[in-house]
């Protein structure tokens, strides 16, 4: 599929970029930042902007996302025929763009929201906004034309359906790779999908009051078939990546002891003396994000000349983007980078 020379180049390039990124030891460079302008100068030393802080936040977030996509795309396009898995890992941004477009259309917006440009890796014609039919013509998003998009609301169930499609197609693309090229990313994606299912279940119950039976219908029930080396896994051929989420649906959202036997209890917010406890979806999501980040770092150099390296690279760059965006938003609210680290439980 890809020659050894291309793989060696991709590995060297990935290592070089990660070495200069705000991951691993590089996170500590953010620790002294207390203002948005300082973050801008640190992340973009040769291309920072002189803007009012409110404008700078939006502009900086756009540049952070744009740089991440540019670096990922360059590595993926270094292969003459990029594997579908790598393309789909980058196209998660296209799904984000579609969600932004749907929310804007639902709200009656005629001006297009800011979209992350995927260049030649994109499939949707976002220039046609707000004409949804023209935007999604001949793409995997054409099904949206048959969906109900109520005016004036963010359709959370439709957005969840998009997530389900993304992860299903992403998982299916694994089967197109030789075993040696998918071992690490398969483990990461299995964890990510399982945790995403659990996060959806928690959010949909907590924020939207959706009934458990309805939630079950929108989870991603991928059968893993065999043990993937996950700490909570089993060899049960009937196990799916929705099982942990389904089990959680029967647990009381305001009773921590109810969750003690749950396989994902370690991702839940702890009880605090003198305070009533309630399962916090944001805490769960942050803990899951940290877990997946450490897993990608651990596996990044495991098989240097496999496509797993590029897959882990993409995951690490996405973590970096999320971290930088969180720091930027925290700074705009008067927090320091260290305050944001504490909230996200990131160790600099």
């Amino acid at each position: 599929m890809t020659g050894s020379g291309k793989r060696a180049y991709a590995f060297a390039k990935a290592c070089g970029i990660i070495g200069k990124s705000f991951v691993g030891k590089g996170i500590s460079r953010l620790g002294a930042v207390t203002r948005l302008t300082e973050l801008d100068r640190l992340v973009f030393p040769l291309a920072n902007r002189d803007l009012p802080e409110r404008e700078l936040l939006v502009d900086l977030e756009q540049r952070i996302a744009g740089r991440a996509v540019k670096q990922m795309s360059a590595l993926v396009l270094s292969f003459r025929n990029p594997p579908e898995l790598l393309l789909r890992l980058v196209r998660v941004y296209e799904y984000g763009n579609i969600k932004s477009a749907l929310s804007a259309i639902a709200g009656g917006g005629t001006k297009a929201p800011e979209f992350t440009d995927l260049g030649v890796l994109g499939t949707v014609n976002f220039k046609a906004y707000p004409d949804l039919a023209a935007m999604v013509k001949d793409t995997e998003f054409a099904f949206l034309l048959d969906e109900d998009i109520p005016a004036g609301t963010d359709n959370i169930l439709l957005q969840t359906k998009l997530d389900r499609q993304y992860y299903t197609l992403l998982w299916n693309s694994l089967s197109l790779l030789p075993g040696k090229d998918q071992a690490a990313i398969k483990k990461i994606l299995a964890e990510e999908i399982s945790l995403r299912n659990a996060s959806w279940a928690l959010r949909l119950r907590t924020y939207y009051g959706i009934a458990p039976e309805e939630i079950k219908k929108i989870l991603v029930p991928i059968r893993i078939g065999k043990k993937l080396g996950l700490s909570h896994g089993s060899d049960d051929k009937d196990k799916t990546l929705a099982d942990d989420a389904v089990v959680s649906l029967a647990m009381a959202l305001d009773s921590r002891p109810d969750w003690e036997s749950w396989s994902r209890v370690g991702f839940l917010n702890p009880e605090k003396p003198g305070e009533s406890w309630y399962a916090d979806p944001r805490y769960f999501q942050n803990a899951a994000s940290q877990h997946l980040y450490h897993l990608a770092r651990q596996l990044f150099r495991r098989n240097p000349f496999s496509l797993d390296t590029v897959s882990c690279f993409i995951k690490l760059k996405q973590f970096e983007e999320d971290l930088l965006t969180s720091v930027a938003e925290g700074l705009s609210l008067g927090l320091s980078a260290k305050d944001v680290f504490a909230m996200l439980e990131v160790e600099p």
Side-chain angles (χ1 to χ4, degrees):
M1 181 181 290
T2 53
S4 57
K6 288 291 185 183
R7 290 165 181 260
Y9 169 82
F11 177 65
K13 186 72 173 177
C15 288
I17 295 174
I18 289 299
K20 299 176 182 178
S21 298
F22 296 95
V23 297
K25 295 180 180 179
I27 294 177
S28 62
R29 290 186 287 149
L30 297 169
V33 173
T34 58
R35 296 182 59 83
L36 205 55
T37 52
E38 295 174 8
L39 179 65
D40 189 15
R41 289 194 296 269
L42 180 62
V43 179
F44 298 100
L46 302 179
N48 49 80
R49 306 281 175 85
D50 183 17
L51 294 171
E53 191 160 287
R54 182 173 297 181
E55 294 178 28
L56 179 58
L57 174 63
V58 176
D59 182 77
L60 181 56
E61 289 181 334
Q62 291 169 359
R63 281 183 287 138
I64 288 170
R67 186 184 70 164
V69 169
K70 184 177 180 179
Q71 291 176 328
M72 297 174 203
S73 299
L75 209 58
V76 170
L77 291 172
S78 68
F79 299 105
R80 179 172 298 178
N81 296 302
E84 183 180 342
L85 173 72
L86 300 184
L87 295 173
R88 290 202 170 279
L89 284 172
V90 177
R91 284 181 183 148
V92 69
Y93 291 91
E94 190 160 63
Y95 276 76
N97 287 342
I98 281 288
K99 291 178 183 178
S100 296
L102 291 176
S103 294
I105 291 172
T110 56
K111 181 181 179 182
E114 292 292 338
F115 298 123
T116 301
D117 185 12
L118 270 68
V120 298
L121 296 186
T123 67
V124 175
N125 178 19
F126 288 107
K127 292 180 180 179
Y129 178 91
D131 186 345
L132 185 61
M135 289 168 57
V136 303
K137 182 181 179 182
D138 299 325
T139 74
E140 63 198 48
F141 301 101
F143 80 93
L144 291 170
L145 300 178
D146 298 321
E147 295 287 337
D148 178 30
I149 306 176
T153 183
D154 290 334
N155 192 324
I156 184 63
L157 293 180
L158 182 54
Q159 293 195 23
T160 306
K161 183 178 289 188
L162 282 165
D163 287 341
R164 176 176 178 151
Q165 174 172 286
Y166 172 72
Y167 280 111
T168 299
L169 294 173
L170 180 62
W171 185 267
N172 290 345
S173 68
L174 279 169
S175 64
L176 303 177
L177 294 177
K180 65 179 181 180
D181 284 326
Q182 59 169 274
I185 191 60
K186 189 172 186 179
K187 183 175 182 178
I188 293 172
L189 289 182
E191 279 285 73
E192 182 174 344
I193 295 170
S194 177
L195 289 167
R196 183 59 63 92
N197 275 326
S199 180
W200 284 337
L202 196 54
R203 288 179 64 239
L204 293 174
R205 290 175 67 198
T206 302
Y207 298 144
Y208 300 95
I210 297 176
E213 289 306 313
E214 291 301 310
I215 294 175
K216 290 178 183 178
K217 297 176 183 178
I218 55 179
L219 299 176
V220 185
I222 292 171
R223 296 193 179 281
I224 61 176
K226 62 180 181 178
K227 189 173 181 179
L228 293 174
L230 305 180
S231 59
H232 66 290
S234 72
D235 289 309
D236 186 353
K237 65 180 180 180
D238 294 324
K239 182 176 176 61
T240 80
L241 297 178
D243 289 353
D244 291 336
V246 170
V247 170
S248 77
L249 294 173
M251 298 172 180
L253 292 171
D254 60 353
S255 175
R256 187 66 159 72
D258 220 30
W259 299 75
E260 288 303 324
S261 62
W262 190 44
S263 59
R264 299 295 189 172
V265 66
F267 295 91
L268 290 172
N269 49 303
E271 289 185 295
K272 295 183 179 180
E275 296 183 12
S276 57
W277 182 88
Y278 206 91
D280 184 351
R282 291 171 298 179
Y283 186 99
F284 185 94
Q285 186 173 333
N286 289 338
S289 176
Q290 285 298 305
H291 171 66
L292 293 169
Y293 158 65
H294 287 295
L295 191 56
R297 277 197 70 202
Q298 172 190 340
L299 298 174
F300 174 54
R301 292 182 173 83
R302 180 71 58 86
N303 298 303
F305 302 113
S306 73
L307 295 178
D308 265 346
T309 293
V310 183
S311 300
C312 290
F313 167 81
I314 292 172
K315 286 298 180 183
L316 289 173
K317 292 303 295 183
Q318 289 170 347
F319 168 83
E320 180 198 43
E321 181 205 347
D322 288 343
L323 177 62
L324 291 175
T325 299
S326 295
V327 170
E329 292 175 350
L331 293 172
S332 72
L333 296 173
L335 303 174
S336 68
K338 289 183 178 179
D339 293 331
V340 176
F341 291 165
M343 292 173 61
L344 299 178
E345 296 199 343
V346 172
E347 296 182 6

